[in-house]
Amino acid sequence: MRRLAEAALERAGQLGVDHADFRFERIRNQDISLRDAKLESAGDGEQVGFAVRVVHNGTWGFAAGVDLTPEAAVRVAEQAVEVARVSTAVNSEPVELADEPVYDDVRWISAYDVDPFAVPDSEKIGRLAEWSERLLASDGVDHVDARLSQVLEGKFYADLAGTVTTQQRVRLHPAITAVAVDAAHGTFETMRTLAPPVGRGYEYLTGTGWDWDAELAGIPELLTERTKAPSVEAGTYDLVVDPSNLWLTIHESIGHATELDRALGYEAAYAGTSFATFDKLGSLQYGSPVMNVVGDRTTEHGLSTIGWDDEGVAGQRWDLVHDGILTGYQLDRRMAKLKGLGRSNGCAFADSPGHIPVQRMANVSLQPAPNGPSTNELIAGVERGIYVIGDKSWSIDMQRYNFQFTGQRFYRIEHGELAGQLRDVAYQATTTDFWGAMEAVGGPQTYVLGGAFNCGKAQPGQVAAVSHGCPAALFRGINILNTVTEGGR
């Protein structure tokens, strides 16, 4: 790797570039799925290659290769410079990068104990099968889908300024879904585990970080209760939202909305730009005074946690929303320089050696209240409302402003207590109205780090994994839809 990097960077320097970086990646992934405790599919993949990115005469150039020789690295560097040279004619905005300290041959490994690729496939399949059989043995469960996705990502980065970094990350996403079929009416209900995807190793499946036995034991009764639950009456309710649901609302209405490239209109793929435009920085009332949101590339076990990003910027933590006011954005080096924001906060990421880094989401998390209430205490403060658990479907407009979210489980709250499940619930609001209606956030004891494995962005499309931590939270006067009625059924 080092010989390739030296060859590529030396050649780029000889060709007069303003900036050049070299990135080598080896990414392994595996996906296993079972249906009713029987193996349905198992697939392994691996990407190995390198990329050279340059700024030449103020214009980006990029090329990638898979031939791991110094001669090939030199050719790829020349191709990257040629791409920049040809593109200069159509570039009206010279590229400049924010400064970043030089990191001399530093290393970082994410926090995990057991490399999941070192565990025999038979053991992983056997564990998923045993969990499936437990559920299938229960009354009211007709089918079970089980799947496990895992990624091992190794990355080497070097640039002309002298930074050299080496890092390795592991992430896992197990999920079990129980299905109850009503053959008489031709309908079915599902219930999926709430265990989030994590930046952990195989120990996550053996009890570290999640109590799988407790969650699996509760699913059959919860699923049966929901099949008998009444349909919600549409109207205005107070909501207590569990972290297992709220993480997705954060992702869509805050995470994507505070990407500066999206706010400036440079990025519009996958659901548009952002209402949180740059002129509103420091003044936009994003939510209530109890709303404090941070971007964080350093969260332990976070899916977007790194030592350094794909521009050699060290992982950081910073405010996005403070006391309800928009105070920051997610940045890469170009966006930071473009708007005079000083240093990048390390949000450049490419999902393969064949892709150019783009500005991607940090772990974006709502902060709990120190000494804040428990979930039960939040529920106790509601006279008539709904408690929302687990994510399901969502919809949000092209400005990340008008949205609608459903969930996995909904409970009526009557006089401060839970009063059975509801069905067919969706909550609807604008981003600022919803977060402005947040009256209280729970304490640290309610905080959970949720997240997504496959957030999409850019053209050609790239995927990235990202975590969102949050406490339980109380929202007053939120519009509730009946999804069956809205669907015209």
Side-chain angles (χ1 to χ4, degrees), residues 181-195:
V181 177
D182 183 345
H185 296 89
T187 60
F188 66 92
E189 291 280 356
T190 65
M191 189 160 293
R192 176 167 46 83
T193 48
L194 301 179

Side-chain angles (χ1 to χ4, degrees), residues 106-111 166-169 297 302 305-308:
V106 288
R107 296 168 183 260
W108 179 85
I109 299 177
S110 65
T166 305
Q167 53 193 334
Q168 179 170 287
R169 301 196 296 165
R297 296 283 265 170
T305 300
I306 46 113
W308 300 268

Side-chain angles (χ1 to χ4, degrees), residues 32-37 40 128-129 131-132 144-148 175-177:
I32 298 172
S33 65
L34 282 72
R35 174 71 167 174
D36 293 339
E40 190 172 59
L128 295 177
W131 286 352
S132 300
V144 174
D145 294 313
R147 62 181 172 82
L148 171 64
I176 313 295
T177 303

Side-chain angles (χ1 to χ4, degrees), residues 28-30 32 44 110 112-124 148-153 168-173 198-205 453:
R28 297 184 67 187
N29 66 280
Q30 183 181 62
I32 298 172
D44 288 70
S110 65
Y112 70 93
D113 296 330
V114 181
D115 175 0
F117 290 91
V119 178
D121 290 351
S122 58
E123 182 175 332
K124 289 179 272 193
L148 171 64
S149 298
Q150 56 191 39
V151 179
L152 175 64
E153 178 186 294
Q168 179 170 287
R169 301 196 296 165
V170 168
R171 49 187 181 269
L172 279 177
H173 187 194
V198 290
R200 293 181 184 269
Y202 188 71
E203 67 275 8
Y204 188 49
L205 273 74
F453 231 49

Side-chain angles (χ1 to χ4, degrees), residues 59-316:
T59 303
W60 287 119
F62 176 81
V66 295
D67 183 0
L68 306 181
T69 65
E71 293 77 15
V74 167
R75 288 197 298 274
V76 169
E78 291 171 345
Q79 290 167 0
V81 174
E82 182 63 10
V83 169
R85 190 189 66 77
V86 172
S87 302
T88 298
V90 294
N91 181 22
S92 60
E93 192 175 60
V95 174
E96 295 182 86
L97 303 181
D99 292 336
E100 177 68 12
V102 171
Y103 306 96
D104 182 14
D105 202 4
V106 288
R107 296 168 183 260
W108 179 85
I109 299 177
S110 65
Y112 70 93
D113 296 330
V114 181
D115 175 0
F117 290 91
V119 178
D121 290 351
S122 58
E123 182 175 332
K124 289 179 272 193
I125 294 168
R127 184 167 296 274
L128 295 177
E130 192 271 326
W131 286 352
S132 300
E133 287 165 353
R134 280 194 221 175
L135 292 172
L136 288 167
S138 304
D139 292 338
V141 177
D142 297 293
H143 299 286
V144 174
D145 294 313
R147 62 181 172 82
L148 171 64
S149 298
Q150 56 191 39
V151 179
L152 175 64
E153 178 186 294
K155 190 171 293 194
F156 171 87
Y157 170 93
D159 63 32
L160 268 183
T163 285
V164 178
T165 67
T166 305
Q167 53 193 334
Q168 179 170 287
R169 301 196 296 165
V170 168
R171 49 187 181 269
L172 279 177
H173 187 194
I176 313 295
T177 303
V179 183
V181 177
D182 183 345
H185 296 89
T187 60
F188 66 92
E189 291 280 356
T190 65
M191 189 160 293
R192 176 167 46 83
T193 48
L194 301 179
V198 290
R200 293 181 184 269
Y202 188 71
E203 67 275 8
Y204 188 49
L205 273 74
T206 58
T208 298
W210 196 256
D211 190 343
W212 289 95
D213 289 339
E215 177 159 41
L216 292 170
I219 283 180
E221 183 177 344
L222 294 169
L223 179 58
T224 298
E225 181 185 359
R226 192 169 69 191
T227 62
K228 302 172 182 176
S231 192
V232 70
E233 179 181 340
T236 301
Y237 293 80
D238 295 339
L239 300 186
V240 175
V241 186
D242 190 79
S244 57
N245 180 274
L246 194 58
W247 76 265
L248 182 55
T249 311
I250 293 169
H251 178 86
E252 300 295 346
S253 69
I254 306 173
H256 280 304
T258 58
E259 295 168 329
L260 186 54
D261 59 345
R262 201 178 287 279
L264 294 176
Y266 286 78
E267 168 67 33
Y270 296 103
T273 55
S274 172
F275 77 97
T277 50
F278 190 70
D279 58 304
K280 298 172 183 170
L281 181 64
S283 62
L284 174 65
Q285 190 74 49
Y286 214 109
S288 73
V290 300
M291 181 185 189
N292 292 285
V293 179
V294 300
D296 195 340
R297 296 283 265 170
T298 66
T299 306
E300 189 173 41
H301 305 303
L303 296 167
S304 186
T305 300
I306 46 113
W308 300 268
D309 76 352
D310 288 354
E311 295 185 322
V313 178
Q316 301 161 45

